Amino acid sequence: QVQLVESGGGLVQPGGSLRLSCAASGSIFSIYGMGWYRQAPGKERELVATITSGGSTKYAEFAKGRFTISRDNAKNRVALQMNSLKPEDTAVYYCRADRVQTRLGGPLYDYWGQGTQVTVSS
Protein backbone atom coordinates (compact mmCIF):
# COMPACT_ATOMS: atom_id res chain seq x y z
CA GLN A 1 0.00 0.00 0.00
CA VAL A 2 2.85 2.39 0.82
CA GLN A 3 6.25 2.54 -0.84
CA LEU A 4 9.27 4.75 -0.24
CA VAL A 5 11.76 5.34 -3.04
CA GLU A 6 15.11 7.05 -2.47
CA SER A 7 17.22 8.81 -5.07
CA GLY A 8 20.28 11.03 -5.26
CA GLY A 9 22.98 8.77 -3.92
CA GLY A 10 26.31 8.39 -5.63
CA LEU A 11 30.03 9.01 -5.49
CA VAL A 12 31.32 12.34 -4.25
CA GLN A 13 34.72 13.68 -3.21
CA PRO A 14 35.48 14.69 0.38
CA GLY A 15 34.17 18.18 1.02
CA GLY A 16 31.56 17.82 -1.68
CA SER A 17 27.79 17.89 -1.49
CA LEU A 18 24.95 15.56 -2.28
CA ARG A 19 21.19 15.84 -2.05
CA LEU A 20 19.06 12.82 -1.29
CA SER A 21 15.35 12.66 -1.97
CA CYS A 22 12.64 10.25 -0.90
CA ALA A 23 9.08 10.05 -2.15
CA ALA A 24 6.33 8.12 -0.41
CA SER A 25 3.53 6.84 -2.57
CA GLY A 26 0.32 4.94 -2.03
CA SER A 27 -2.98 5.56 -0.32
CA ILE A 28 -1.49 7.97 2.20
CA PHE A 29 -3.53 10.29 4.34
CA SER A 30 -0.78 11.57 6.60
CA ILE A 31 2.75 10.86 7.79
CA TYR A 32 3.87 12.03 11.20
CA GLY A 33 7.60 11.70 10.79
CA MET A 34 9.97 11.28 7.88
CA GLY A 35 13.67 10.88 8.13
CA TRP A 36 16.95 9.43 7.09
CA TYR A 37 19.01 6.65 8.61
CA ARG A 38 22.30 5.20 7.46
CA GLN A 39 24.22 1.98 7.82
CA ALA A 40 27.90 1.50 7.13
CA PRO A 41 29.46 -1.95 6.65
CA GLY A 42 29.82 -3.75 9.96
CA LYS A 43 27.86 -1.13 11.87
CA GLU A 44 24.33 -0.71 13.14
CA ARG A 45 21.81 1.44 11.37
CA GLU A 46 21.76 4.91 12.92
CA LEU A 47 19.59 7.98 12.77
CA VAL A 48 20.81 10.85 10.60
CA ALA A 49 17.93 13.33 10.76
CA THR A 50 14.16 13.39 11.15
CA ILE A 51 11.42 15.92 10.58
CA THR A 52 7.80 15.88 11.70
CA SER A 53 4.78 17.03 9.74
CA GLY A 54 4.91 20.20 11.82
CA GLY A 55 8.50 20.93 10.86
CA SER A 56 10.27 19.90 14.04
CA THR A 57 13.74 18.55 13.25
CA LYS A 58 16.26 16.36 14.97
CA TYR A 59 19.83 15.70 13.88
CA ALA A 60 22.50 13.26 14.87
CA GLU A 61 25.55 14.98 16.31
CA PHE A 62 27.65 14.16 13.26
CA ALA A 63 25.07 15.79 10.99
CA LYS A 64 24.67 19.09 12.81
CA GLY A 65 25.96 22.02 10.81
CA ARG A 66 26.51 19.92 7.69
CA PHE A 67 23.20 18.29 6.82
CA THR A 68 19.78 19.86 6.38
CA ILE A 69 16.53 17.93 6.26
CA SER A 70 13.44 19.34 4.59
CA ARG A 71 9.98 18.11 3.77
CA ASP A 72 7.07 18.73 1.44
CA ASN A 73 3.97 17.42 3.18
CA ALA A 74 1.73 17.85 0.14
CA LYS A 75 3.99 15.65 -1.96
CA ASN A 76 4.95 13.26 0.86
CA ARG A 77 8.57 13.91 0.04
CA VAL A 78 11.61 14.39 2.26
CA ALA A 79 15.07 15.54 1.24
CA LEU A 80 18.48 15.59 2.86
CA GLN A 81 21.04 18.14 1.76
CA MET A 82 24.50 16.95 2.71
CA ASN A 83 27.43 19.35 2.61
CA SER A 84 31.08 19.05 3.61
CA LEU A 85 30.93 15.30 3.20
CA LYS A 86 33.56 13.13 4.83
CA PRO A 87 34.73 9.59 4.04
CA GLU A 88 33.07 8.41 7.24
CA ASP A 89 29.72 9.47 5.78
CA THR A 90 29.98 6.55 3.38
CA ALA A 91 26.99 4.30 3.96
CA VAL A 92 23.67 3.16 2.61
CA TYR A 93 21.11 5.82 3.42
CA TYR A 94 17.56 4.72 4.12
CA CYS A 95 14.39 6.76 4.06
CA ARG A 96 11.83 6.13 6.78
CA ALA A 97 8.24 7.17 7.26
CA ASP A 98 6.73 6.59 10.67
CA ARG A 99 3.18 6.67 11.93
CA VAL A 100 1.71 6.58 8.45
CA GLN A 101 -2.07 6.87 8.25
CA THR A 102 -3.49 5.44 5.03
CA ARG A 103 -6.71 6.54 3.41
CA LEU A 104 -8.07 3.09 4.17
CA GLY A 105 -7.94 3.89 7.85
CA GLY A 106 -6.88 1.49 10.56
CA PRO A 107 -3.68 1.40 12.61
CA LEU A 108 -0.52 3.36 11.90
CA TYR A 109 2.52 1.69 10.39
CA ASP A 110 6.17 2.46 9.74
CA TYR A 111 7.87 2.00 6.37
CA TRP A 112 11.43 1.79 5.08
CA GLY A 113 12.86 2.52 1.66
CA GLN A 114 15.32 0.18 -0.02
CA GLY A 115 18.27 2.51 0.50
CA THR A 116 20.65 4.49 -1.67
CA GLN A 117 24.43 4.21 -1.61
CA VAL A 118 26.50 7.25 -0.70
CA THR A 119 30.25 6.93 -1.19
CA VAL A 120 32.64 9.71 -0.20
CA SER A 121 36.08 9.08 -1.63
CA SER A 122 38.84 10.78 -3.58
Side-chain angles (χ1 to χ4, degrees), residues 3-118:
Q3 294 186 38
L4 274 60
V5 180
E6 303 101 331
S7 63
L11 175 65
V12 64
Q13 295 185 2
S17 299
L18 211 58
R19 184 177 185 273
L20 306 182
S21 182
C22 172
S25 62
S27 300
I28 300 171
F29 179 77
S30 65
I31 303 173
Y32 175 74
M34 299 189 77
W36 293 91
Y37 294 71
R38 72 184 189 185
Q39 186 168 22
K43 294 192 174 183
E44 298 294 324
R45 189 172 299 187
E46 63 181 345
L47 181 147
V48 178
T50 61
I51 182 169
T52 69
S53 58
S56 180
T57 60
K58 180 179 181 180
Y59 293 91
E61 192 63 34
F62 63 79
K64 294 179 179 178
R66 297 192 298 132
F67 298 176
T68 302
I69 189 168
S70 60
R71 174 174 175 172
D72 185 332
N73 292 333
K75 297 180 179 179
N76 290 320
R77 182 181 295 272
V78 63
L80 183 69
Q81 178 66 46
M82 303 186 291
N83 299 324
S84 302
L85 285 164
K86 306 173 181 179
E88 50 263 45
D89 292 319
T90 297
V92 176
Y93 285 69
Y94 296 90
C95 178
R96 177 179 173 83
D98 66 84
R99 281 164 277 186
V100 179
Q101 177 67 260
T102 69
R103 296 190 181 278
L104 298 177
L108 306 180
Y109 290 99
D110 302 332
Y111 297 89
W112 288 97
Q114 291 300 303
T116 184
Q117 178 70 50
V118 171

